[in-house]
Amino acid sequence: MKVGTVEVIKGEKKKGYIQVGTDTDGSPFLIPVLVAAGQEDGPTLWVHGCIHGEEYGGAASIIRYFQELDTNSLKGTFVGVPVVNLPSFKDRNRISPLDGANLNRIFPGDPNGSYSHRLAYELIQVIRETADVVLDFHSGGIGAEVPYYVIIDDDKTETALKSMDLAKKLGSKFIWRSEGESGTGGTITASVMDLNIPTVTVECGGGNVTEQHEELFKKSIKYAMQAYEMIPGEPPKLDEYLIVGNASFVFTKEGGLFVPECNVGDILNKGDKIGSIMNLFGKVVEEIYCPEDNSYIAALGHRYWPTEPGQLITESMPIESRGK
Ligand SMILES: [Zn+2]
């Protein structure tokens, strides 16, 4: 098996590149890839970060996990791509400076499109040729924080059941079961699912990357590898899972400084205070409330960071069901 320029060799850790297209100056986009292969055969776990270029926690955790991984106890292959979206990463931006695209809304891509579309297309080809299971790392980006939780794209297939089974082994009580175009249209997970490859999105942190964020991301890789019997040990099984459905996205109406009055991961009811916007004279110009009952706060703007009208300030997700 080859992944980009890397020839996979049993028992070895290798580094190389996946090349996709060229930059404006003609230089190739060389996407670093980290491959660790066990002595024994087994599945290939593919983990990528920075599909949105300013979500650095996943990138760092993939690098750290690779450094710490012992190939002697590994069955199968770990493929880590810390930063899939190089232009967006270099621009420290969610979207690509080359064509303005949000990479995670344009899968399965287009081999004749602008750079992001080509990138999406090529990524799917490489995943198709190499991966048995995929983890997709995200965060709240620079301007927001998210709790540690997981997302699956429930397209009602056998692969969705396998993805849910994996999601339940990653140590998060909260699972966003996203259905259809409204939640996951054009995402990499939707396209990976179309290849019948189980996949889970892992969300964690945003803004600064703390040691805790790193640990949570790394644990998700470890648990996924345990779930697929690639390394020794059992992934956790929780007493209860809370399944959330459609997300409500709450946008600010006023500019100013955001003052949060809850935490990510809280469960709030309709009318509970999420926070307020304070103008530069210290006056509260807007109060923000939870729009629905029994809602998981899955994203929140940072304390005292500036906002502009129409900025996404929180995501709340009503809990649909509880169960095993
Ligand atoms: Zn993201």
Side-chain angles (χ1 to χ4, degrees):
M1 185 170 89
K2 257 189 115 175
V3 187
T5 60
V6 177
E7 190 85 49
V8 181
I9 298 172
K10 281 185 179 179
E12 287 192 20
K13 287 185 182 178
K14 308 268 279 182
K15 298 165 191 169
Y17 298 99
I18 298 166
Q19 188 192 331
V20 181
T22 50
D23 203 345
T24 316
D25 63 1
S27 56
F29 279 112
L30 297 172
I31 301 169
V33 59
L34 309 171
V35 180
Q39 291 288 358
E40 289 184 58
D41 289 336
T44 296
L45 171 69
W46 168 292
V47 190
H48 62 249
C50 281
I51 234 175
H52 295 131
E54 31 66 284
E55 300 178 1
Y56 315 119
S61 306
I62 290 166
I63 295 166
R64 291 298 187 209
Y65 190 87
F66 175 78
Q67 289 175 332
E68 293 160 14
L69 180 60
D70 176 8
T71 55
N72 290 319
S73 57
L74 174 64
K75 283 182 194 163
T77 307
F78 167 87
V79 177
V81 187
V83 175
V84 294
N85 194 347
L86 290 175
S88 161
F89 173 77
K90 288 193 268 190
D91 201 40
R92 295 171 168 82
N93 202 332
R94 182 174 175 83
I95 61 171
S96 175
L98 292 183
D99 53 16
N102 176 343
L103 180 59
N104 214 28
R105 296 293 179 274
I106 58 169
F107 281 88
D110 178 352
N112 301 309
S114 61
Y115 179 74
S116 298
H117 294 261
R118 287 167 194 253
L119 173 60
Y121 181 82
E122 286 301 326
L123 281 171
I124 291 300
Q125 308 317 310
V126 184
I127 288 172
R128 180 205 307 271
E129 286 159 18
T130 57
D132 296 302
V133 54
V134 171
L135 290 183
D136 168 43
F137 280 176
H138 288 262
S139 81
I142 287 178
E145 188 192 353
V146 301
Y148 176 69
Y149 74 99
V150 295
I151 309 172
I152 69 142
D153 177 18
D154 188 0
D155 63 359
K156 309 296 176 200
T157 59
E158 189 72 21
T159 311
L161 292 174
K162 288 181 187 167
S163 301
M164 180 59 100
D165 186 57
L166 175 60
K168 286 181 172 174
K169 292 173 177 164
L170 299 185
S172 169
K173 189 174 176 181
F174 289 88
I175 300 171
W176 179 7
R177 193 175 58 84
S178 179
E179 289 177 278
E181 290 297 308
S182 63
T184 52
T187 61
I188 191 166
T189 51
S191 285
V192 171
M193 296 279 294
D194 288 341
L195 303 175
N196 300 320
I197 298 172
T199 178
V200 177
T201 294
V202 175
E203 292 274 2
C204 184
N208 289 332
V209 183
T210 65
E211 285 180 21
Q212 192 196 11
H213 299 149
E214 180 190 337
E215 283 309 311
L216 288 163
F217 274 124
K218 286 195 298 190
K219 270 186 187 167
S220 74
I221 304 175
K222 178 177 127 182
Y223 294 153
M225 290 182 109
Q226 288 175 334
Y228 279 78
E229 296 177 349
M230 296 172 70
I231 56 171
E234 288 287 323
K237 190 176 183 309
L238 307 185
D239 295 337
E240 184 186 50
Y241 295 95
L242 304 182
I243 309 297
V244 294
N246 289 327
S248 292
F249 297 96
V250 179
F251 300 91
T252 53
K253 295 184 186 70
E254 303 291 339
L257 302 177
F258 178 57
V259 187
E261 291 182 42
C262 67
N263 293 304
V264 289
D266 284 354
I267 296 172
L268 301 184
N269 287 316
K270 185 172 179 174
D272 287 347
K273 191 95 165 277
I274 282 176
S276 57
I277 307 291
M278 176 176 79
N279 74 11
L280 302 186
F281 296 107
K283 183 174 180 246
V284 173
V285 290
E286 183 182 356
E287 293 186 318
I288 298 156
Y289 298 98
C290 185
E292 285 153 301
D293 281 338
N294 202 24
S295 294
Y296 179 60
I297 302 303
L300 196 63
H302 294 308
R303 185 166 188 260
Y304 291 155
W305 276 36
T307 65
E308 71 274 0
Q311 181 177 325
L312 178 66
I313 202 69
T314 191
E315 287 174 33
S316 73
M317 299 181 186
I319 294 165
E320 277 183 348
S321 63
R322 293 168 179 261
K324 295 213 174 272

